[in-house]
Amino acid sequence: MKFHIMTLFPEMVMQGLNTSIIGRAIENQILDLKAWNIREYTKSRHKKVDDYPYGGGAGMLMQAQPVYDTFLAVKDDLKMSHCRVIYLTPQGKLFTQTEAEQLAKEEALVFLCGHYEGIDERVLEEIVTDEYSIGDYVLTGGELPAMVMVDAISRLVPGVLNNEDSATTESLHNHLLEYPQYSRPEEWEGRRVPEVLLSGHHLNISKWRMEQSILRTKEKRPDLYKKYKKVKDNPL
Ligand code: ADE
């Protein structure tokens, strides 16, 4: 899967995503990550990418021209007739695990990261297909949200997680939180690992884990638990 990120801070995105599991998937060519520096596409002599908003108001806006020319370069590189272009903004649709599952089916995704007070509306109208927010708070730019989305989507792409990593993939899949996990030693600071996990009885272990997931969700995230209960055929 290809991720193309249009940003004023390409090194931030590349450094943030080029490590650990995502870094390994890039190295193994399962993922292709490219950050495009919007500043390189400005036609301004002084490499300017922002200007004052018409009508006044605080801060500066990213101008349409450098964003659009970056997009044309990405499009040329992608050689696809259509591709989703995601603008990161607190005004967007809330990004959830369900959205990640849908987006993971795409062959390529383009992300547009804003900075300053935003981007000239006309270029957004021209190129953006989807707007996403990662939560109801305001960040200084779209880079962190883009990185969050790339990470959550990538781990759903076949081959990115190996078997060891994928043990935790089901959390939230079914609107449930992960059950508690334990490693050696059997006793630490007087706390013992639950006996059922030492029993070797696989059916009992799965049942216990399911119960724990349900209990945890009910206690920690009643909002998720409601969603879980709405799904027919779920136990409890
Ligand atoms: N840009 C600034 N804040 C954001 C948020 N919460 N989600 C997505 N993009 C943003």
Side-chain angles (χ1 to χ4, degrees), residues 150-206:
V150 169
D151 189 288
I153 295 164
S154 292
R155 64 191 289 289
L156 302 173
V157 172
V160 170
L161 295 188
N162 57 35
N163 281 343
E164 262 175 51
D165 307 322
S166 62
T168 58
T169 51
E170 291 311 303
S171 184
L172 273 192
H173 179 72
N174 205 6
H175 305 303
L176 283 179
L177 300 179
E178 192 64 80
Y179 47 78
Q181 305 235 57
Y182 305 86
S183 183
R184 283 196 283 188
E186 281 182 23
E187 186 171 324
W188 177 78
E189 299 282 317
R191 295 165 191 265
R192 278 195 63 71
V193 172
E195 283 309 317
V196 63
L197 298 179
L198 309 174
S199 69
H201 192 302
H202 295 298
L203 188 64
N204 284 352
I205 292 172
S206 317

Side-chain angles (χ1 to χ4, degrees), residues 4-8 38 60-63 67 71 83-95 103 109-135 138-147 149 153:
H4 288 254
I5 303 177
M6 301 190 278
T7 168
L8 289 172
I38 294 171
M60 304 285 268
L61 283 185
M62 279 167 71
Q63 292 169 287
V67 173
F71 170 73
C83 178
R84 288 168 84 165
V85 178
I86 296 170
Y87 177 47
L88 291 315
T89 164
Q91 297 184 15
K93 184 177 187 191
L94 188 66
F95 178 66
L103 292 168
L109 290 171
V110 178
F111 292 85
L112 171 58
C113 306
H115 241 274
Y116 315 115
E117 286 307 304
I119 303 183
D120 189 306
E121 191 69 20
R122 293 167 295 182
V123 71
L124 297 179
E125 285 169 6
E126 186 67 23
I127 70 171
V128 171
T129 61
D130 302 81
E131 292 189 342
Y132 278 104
S133 162
I134 61 159
V138 181
L139 300 164
T140 54
E143 285 75 15
L144 286 171
M147 288 158 71
M149 286 185 65
I153 295 164

